[in-house]
Amino acid sequence: MDRLRYPVDEWKLTEAVYDTHDLGTSETLFAVGNGYLGLRGNVEEGRETYTHGTFINGFHETWPIRHAEEAFGFARVGQTIVNVPDTKTMKLYVDDEPMLLSVADLDEYDRTLDFRAGCLTRDILWRTPGGKRVRVRSRRMVSFTQRHLAIMEMEVTVLDHAAPVVVSSQILNRQDGKDEYHVQAAAMGEGWDPRKAESFESRVLEPQSHWSNDSRMVLGWRTANSKMTIAVGVDHLIETADEHESSIETDEDMGKMVIKVQAQPGVPIKITKLVAYHTSRGVPVRELVDRCHRTLDRTRTEGVQKQYDDQRAWLDAFWERSDVVIEGSPQLQQAVRWNLFHLAQAAGRAEQSGVPAKGVSGSGYGGHYFWDTEVYVLPFLTYTTPSMARSAMRFRYNLLDAARVRASELAERGALFPWRTIDGHEASAYYAAGTAQYHIDADISYALYKYVAATGDTDFLYRQGVDILVETARMWADLGFWRENGDGAFHIHSVTGPDEYTTVVNDNLFTNVMARFNLRRAAETVLELEKVAPEEYARMVQRLDLGPDEVEEWASAAEHMHIPYDETIGVHPQDAHFLEREVWDLANTPKDKRPLLLYYHPLVIYRFQVLKQADVVLALFLQGDQFTLDEKKSDFEYYDSITTGDSTLSGVVQSIIAAEVGYHKLAMNYFTQALFVDLGDLHGNASDGVHVANAGGVWEALVMGFGGLRDYNRKISFDPRLPDEWPSLTFRFTLKGTRVRARLTHAAYEFVVEDGTEASFSVRGQQVEVRAGGPAVVVPLADQGPRIDAERAFTTRGRREDGSLITASVPRAAGED
């Protein structure tokens, strides 16, 4: 990052110099949201923008997917998040001259996102074309405590001379329905990119109502195809001693309040804009209009300051549970807190919705929910704010019926959750790298089991979660098969793992390992339920029509699951034929041909040993108790040198396993790359929104990589790997209602209960018990695991069809990008 433009502050991100060359990235970096409503960091004046963006979690339009060649079971209906009517615009005129930052004469400029206050502020000293100095301050907040509320303020003070001041505060629906990003991207010469949202070709929001009085305006719309409804209400509070007047008008796609002031020197003009958004899957707009009125009335009654106080209190509690402190590294500390803050903004009030890949900060990936949430975001929520994790699991439970239908469409029993979705139906038109990722069933079951193990929430498990485990286990049992004439093992064919550069393969290691976990946990849970809660068990058997032999079938399939392993090379093949392929020459692939998916036909990529993201290595992390340390080291070395890192989901996992097997410098390098994925725009697409899963992975790399936390078989353990350059690492984790603060140094691990009663876990095999009111428990550390400090030269190996080895040495220094 440019530290002259973005100075270091451990609790804020400040932009000290205005620059238009990367508006898309800065709009993402300074976005504010609460998990339900998100506002991109567009400037208040509304003119200079990469993409005007206001997004509501789950509010989407549908459109027919047109396949060039049809086949049964293809996804039929696409879903794309809607860029909803924008309320951020507050245009400013002094002496009838607009403030336009790109050409403005700015004596001072400061824009700050405060991680503790939860507000975006801006402070500008502007010299108008006529030479008058004007102080312009603004503040923007999306409330964590009032889910549907946003507040925007603008304070204008002319300093030297009287002048007419006009502020035009607007609600604006860009009625052509096109995502403005795509118009601009095309103009900038950007090509096709599957990571970006689909564009609409026709009007999306159909006007339903518009109303206004002296200070308030409320407008409502309904989407053309999905028939979702939205109402937006805006109220204005005007505070000034200067003479002023205002007028308000609305039409079908715009609401506008114009405030005219005869400004006197030194007399501030403060305009507070209260905004309410309400949406529904079908409630009439008139009811949503009433809800907007109630939100605005309540805010007026309570007062604006209370909203800011409540916001600070909410975030104070969040940081008490969630903060991670790296001693002596202010630049890293700032980046860590930026990532954690955006996790709060993505999930804080998602409530019965999923966590989209970009949260509510942008339209990237169409606002869809992926398996990323369960693997990278849910662990953070589970160990810091379990109520949010439960809400995310409830969301998946509510999609179970749709998952059952999808399984039936693909001729499977049980339930198959869609790879990408908003409303519960598969929205991926490219099945090879989409629908074929059956592993999402196991990922959801994994997140569910880990949540219950950490929280003890057996009530949710026995009444709802068990349905997910049973239906996903049924799918695996039906999808796989027994090779009776061969090895007698259980195999799973024609699936795609997390690595989308290798698709529709047999016995993908990650899929098989995770399916085994899913089958085992389903069988264990059903037997446990029968034993400890027989009435709930009877209801479950009746509800799911559970057959008498199904549990035994799951346990047997898990026990005999085929786990590929190549004795000659000494690694786990990513799939049955992966090692037979030619090795991609990454060392001689031009940087301008990355990521590969944008420059090579899929069939070209599929013929090679090359990874978009860690696949086997992810299995080593999620199911680490199923592999030896030597196996992890061999697998990591083999796959690391052929992993492109084209996915932001790769670096954090590579960091975690690198730390575990001894590549400490490499672990630090991968962590730093992940930490600055968005802040440094390292993948060139931060303009599309925050990489939320990567942000969750940053927490995992800190707590599970360097902090060494593992949670296998409902047992919590720690095996730390503190980087040499860090004096200490401090984080919190919550176990069954007890929050523990952990502080790791090179000499010891210290634990103390901050809230709750007691917690138990182990450190390097030593059992630890911590209790409220008791002293801190300090565990001495003689060392912190294996260490490989020398530069490495990993050897990438494959096999020809005749079985002979292909060897391609790919030298890379530890820590090399």
Side-chain angles (χ1 to χ4, degrees):
M1 297 184 69
D2 179 356
R3 288 304 177 182
L4 293 177
R5 183 181 176 192
Y6 298 109
V8 175
D9 187 311
E10 295 186 356
W11 283 104
K12 299 174 181 177
L13 179 66
T14 293
E15 182 184 46
V17 179
Y18 181 72
D19 196 333
T20 60
H21 85 278
D22 60 351
L23 282 175
T25 298
S26 66
E27 288 166 6
T28 293
L29 299 186
F30 291 95
V32 291
N34 64 5
Y36 168 74
L37 170 65
L39 310 177
R40 282 179 63 79
N42 306 115
V43 296
E44 282 76 0
E45 297 72 46
R47 294 180 178 86
E48 296 172 322
T49 184
Y50 185 77
T51 173
H52 285 286
T54 301
F55 301 98
I56 294 176
N57 192 349
F59 189 82
H60 68 281
E61 177 63 307
T62 57
W63 43 276
I65 298 175
R66 298 182 178 88
H67 298 276
E69 296 185 16
E70 293 286 354
F72 180 81
F74 276 12
R76 300 296 178 192
V77 180
Q79 308 148 34
T80 302
I81 195 169
V82 175
N83 195 343
V84 301
D86 189 26
T87 56
K88 296 188 295 293
T89 300
M90 299 177 75
K91 296 181 179 179
L92 171 63
Y93 304 83
V94 177
D95 286 331
D96 294 329
E97 297 289 345
M99 186 170 76
L100 187 63
L101 293 188
S102 60
V103 297
D105 184 0
L106 301 179
D107 287 352
E108 299 175 15
Y109 176 86
D110 178 292
R111 179 166 63 157
T112 295
L113 182 63
D114 190 315
F115 310 147
R116 287 180 292 194
C119 295
L120 175 65
T121 60
R122 193 180 67 173
D123 192 342
I124 295 173
L125 182 57
W126 170 40
R127 288 184 183 268
T128 71
K132 296 177 180 178
R133 295 190 308 147
V134 182
R135 174 70 66 184
V136 183
R137 292 190 173 100
S138 62
R139 179 162 55 169
R140 181 184 301 170
M141 180 188 82
V142 176
S143 174
F144 282 110
T145 58
Q146 291 211 47
R147 188 172 186 243
H148 302 275
L149 176 69
I151 299 177
M152 303 155 203
E153 293 179 347
M154 178 178 284
E155 182 179 280
V156 182
T157 308
V158 295
L159 299 181
D160 306 314
H161 306 281
V165 171
V166 176
V167 175
S168 177
S169 175
Q170 301 177 3
I171 303 174
L172 180 61
N173 175 43
R174 291 165 180 83
Q175 66 271 19
D176 63 2
K178 295 182 183 296
D179 182 341
E180 184 176 350
Y181 167 78
H182 294 275
V183 177
Q184 296 194 12
M188 295 168 64
E190 296 184 16
W192 167 85
D193 190 335
R195 301 167 297 183
K196 301 184 186 297
E198 300 82 0
S199 58
F200 298 112
E201 299 300 328
S202 59
R203 186 184 181 100
V204 173
L205 294 176
E206 299 174 338
Q208 299 292 300
S209 69
H210 61 92
W211 170 95
S212 63
N213 65 10
D214 291 341
S215 64
R216 182 178 296 182
M217 45 193 176
V218 186
L219 288 78
W221 295 266
R222 182 180 62 188
T223 56
N225 298 323
S226 68
K227 303 305 179 184
M228 298 189 74
T229 50
I230 181 172
V232 183
V234 172
D235 222 345
H236 292 87
L237 308 174
I238 305 170
E239 302 172 69
T240 182
D242 288 333
E243 179 183 346
H244 65 280
E245 62 181 42
S246 63
S247 61
I248 196 166
E249 61 178 295
T250 62
D251 61 27
E252 290 183 338
D253 288 302
M254 174 181 273
K256 180 168 61 176
M257 184 171 189
V258 179
I259 300 105
K260 301 176 182 178
V261 185
Q262 294 300 318
Q264 300 302 311
V267 180
I269 305 159
K270 185 175 182 181
I271 301 167
T272 302
K273 188 174 185 179
L274 310 178
V275 179
Y277 283 87
H278 283 270
T279 57
S280 172
R281 292 187 178 274
V283 168
V285 166
R286 62 179 178 273
E287 180 175 332
L288 299 184
V289 167
D290 291 341
R291 295 180 189 179
C292 285
H293 282 300
R294 290 197 293 270
T295 298
L296 297 174
D297 289 344
R298 181 172 60 252
T299 304
R300 270 183 171 266
T301 299
E302 293 178 346
V304 174
Q305 187 57 48
K306 182 179 187 302
Q307 312 312 317
Y308 292 124
D309 293 343
D310 289 350
Q311 184 86 337
R312 178 59 186 251
W314 193 97
L315 281 164
D316 284 347
F318 170 79
W319 290 115
E320 285 178 4
R321 302 187 305 268
S322 312
D323 195 18
V324 180
V325 179
I326 302 172
E327 183 184 353
S329 300
Q331 294 189 32
L332 298 184
Q333 187 65 68
Q334 179 187 41
V336 166
R337 287 185 174 133
W338 182 90
N339 279 276
L340 298 183
F341 179 67
H342 275 284
L343 283 171
Q345 294 199 135
R349 297 302 303 272
E351 295 175 7
Q352 306 303 311
S353 294
V355 179
K358 300 296 183 181
V360 282
S361 66
S363 63
Y365 286 111
H368 292 164
Y369 315 123
F370 293 81
W371 64 278
D372 312 1
T373 299
E374 278 72 28
V375 171
Y376 296 94
V377 179
L378 261 293
F380 166 73
L381 299 179
T382 292
Y383 286 106
T384 61
T385 312
S387 60
M388 293 184 194
R390 191 181 197 275
S391 177
M393 293 311 309
R394 280 274 304 158
F395 164 74
R396 288 297 191 183
Y397 172 77
N398 289 335
L399 298 184
L400 193 54
D401 283 342
R404 290 184 177 111
V405 172
R406 186 58 176 160
S408 178
E409 290 175 345
L410 273 72
E412 305 296 344
R413 295 189 65 212
L416 177 59
F417 287 93
W419 177 67
R420 63 186 298 171
T421 189
I422 296 179
D423 66 3
H425 297 92
E426 179 62 78
S428 174
Y430 186 55
Y431 75 88
T435 296
Q437 294 199 46
Y438 284 64
H439 65 84
I440 189 171
D441 266 21
D443 303 331
I444 292 170
S445 297
Y446 169 87
L448 167 63
Y449 186 83
K450 298 294 185 179
Y451 163 76
V452 174
T455 64
D457 188 359
T458 55
D459 177 67
F460 174 71
L461 176 66
Y462 295 161
R463 293 191 300 107
Q464 298 173 353
V466 65
D467 292 25
I468 294 176
L469 292 175
V470 167
E471 295 289 35
T472 53
R474 281 173 166 166
M475 193 283 299
W476 292 119
D478 195 38
L479 177 66
F481 69 98
W482 296 90
R483 187 176 288 170
E484 297 295 347
N485 61 344
D487 53 12
F490 191 78
H491 294 262
I492 299 174
H493 283 188
S494 298
V495 297
T496 297
D499 170 36
E500 295 158 23
Y501 284 176
T502 311
T503 65
V504 193
V505 298
N506 296 339
D507 288 322
N508 169 255
L509 179 107
F510 178 87
T511 301
N512 285 19
V513 168
M514 294 298 289
R516 178 174 65 182
F517 174 88
N518 193 164
L519 289 160
R520 282 176 175 169
R521 298 304 172 247
E524 290 174 3
T525 300
V526 169
L527 294 175
E528 175 185 313
L529 184 60
E530 182 180 21
K531 180 179 179 180
V532 304
E535 292 184 359
E536 285 291 352
Y537 171 79
R539 282 191 284 268
M540 180 274 294
V541 169
Q542 183 178 36
R543 182 171 67 247
L544 301 179
D545 192 24
L546 184 66
D549 300 325
E550 287 190 77
V551 175
E552 183 178 346
E553 179 187 10
W554 303 338
S556 180
E559 181 66 23
H560 295 89
M561 182 70 68
H562 177 64
I563 306 300
Y565 185 75
D566 188 285
E567 296 284 354
T568 302
I569 300 180
V571 299
H572 291 89
Q574 184 168 293
D575 60 72
H577 301 288
F578 185 82
L579 298 180
E580 300 170 7
R581 301 186 180 98
E582 183 180 356
V583 177
W584 187 290
D585 188 0
L586 277 179
N588 292 308
T589 301
K591 290 184 177 180
D592 62 1
K593 295 296 183 182
R594 304 275 290 272
L596 302 185
L597 78 165
L598 298 186
Y599 299 98
Y600 298 92
H601 191 284
L603 286 177
V604 174
I605 299 173
Y606 297 163
R607 296 187 183 107
F608 288 84
Q609 290 188 50
V610 63
L611 279 64
K612 180 184 178 188
Q613 66 195 65
D615 193 303
V616 170
V617 174
L618 181 58
L620 303 179
F621 168 46
L622 301 185
Q623 293 293 288
D625 59 333
Q626 302 299 304
F627 301 90
T628 68
L629 184 62
D630 286 342
E631 287 174 337
K632 292 177 186 179
K633 183 175 180 292
S634 295
D635 287 344
F636 174 80
E637 290 180 349
Y638 187 90
Y639 289 103
D640 191 68
S641 59
I642 56 173
T643 301
T644 65
D646 287 349
S647 168
T648 60
L649 301 181
S650 198
V652 290
V653 175
Q654 289 168 286
S655 175
I656 292 168
I657 298 302
E660 183 174 352
V661 301
Y663 285 105
H664 288 225
K665 292 181 180 179
L666 189 60
M668 187 64 180
N669 178 262
Y670 279 131
F671 168 73
T672 304
Q673 289 181 34
L675 188 61
F676 288 96
V677 157
D678 289 315
L679 288 167
D681 194 18
L682 300 185
H683 284 243
N685 60 353
S687 57
D688 299 332
V690 174
H691 290 85
V692 174
N694 178 78
V698 165
W699 181 88
E700 289 181 307
L702 286 164
V703 174
M704 299 179 170
F706 301 129
L709 185 152
R710 293 293 187 274
D711 51 350
Y712 301 133
N713 300 314
R714 299 189 183 183
K715 294 180 180 179
I716 306 299
S717 64
F718 291 88
D719 189 7
R721 306 285 192 273
L722 185 65
D724 291 341
E725 53 268 52
W726 296 357
S728 70
L729 174 69
T730 302
F731 59 91
R732 282 86 176 160
F733 61 95
T734 299
L735 295 178
K736 298 181 179 178
T738 295
R739 185 176 75 239
V740 178
R741 182 180 71 244
R743 183 174 184 270
L744 172 65
T745 68
H746 293 283
Y749 226 146
E750 177 184 290
F751 302 92
V752 62
V753 171
E754 290 189 329
D755 186 48
T757 55
E758 60 183 8
S760 61
F761 42 86
S762 65
V763 177
R764 298 271 175 84
Q766 177 179 336
Q767 193 63 26
V768 174
E769 305 282 342
V770 290
R771 293 181 174 82
V777 175
V778 179
V779 181
L781 299 173
D783 64 79
Q784 294 201 26
R787 179 176 298 276
I788 306 170
D789 290 324
E791 291 189 354
R792 61 186 170 86
F794 290 169
T795 299
T796 301
R797 296 158 290 184
R799 284 188 293 189
R800 300 181 179 89
E801 291 186 2
D802 64 5
S804 60
L805 290 177
I806 303 170
T807 301
S809 182
V810 184
R812 187 191 298 179
E816 182 179 327
D817 192 346

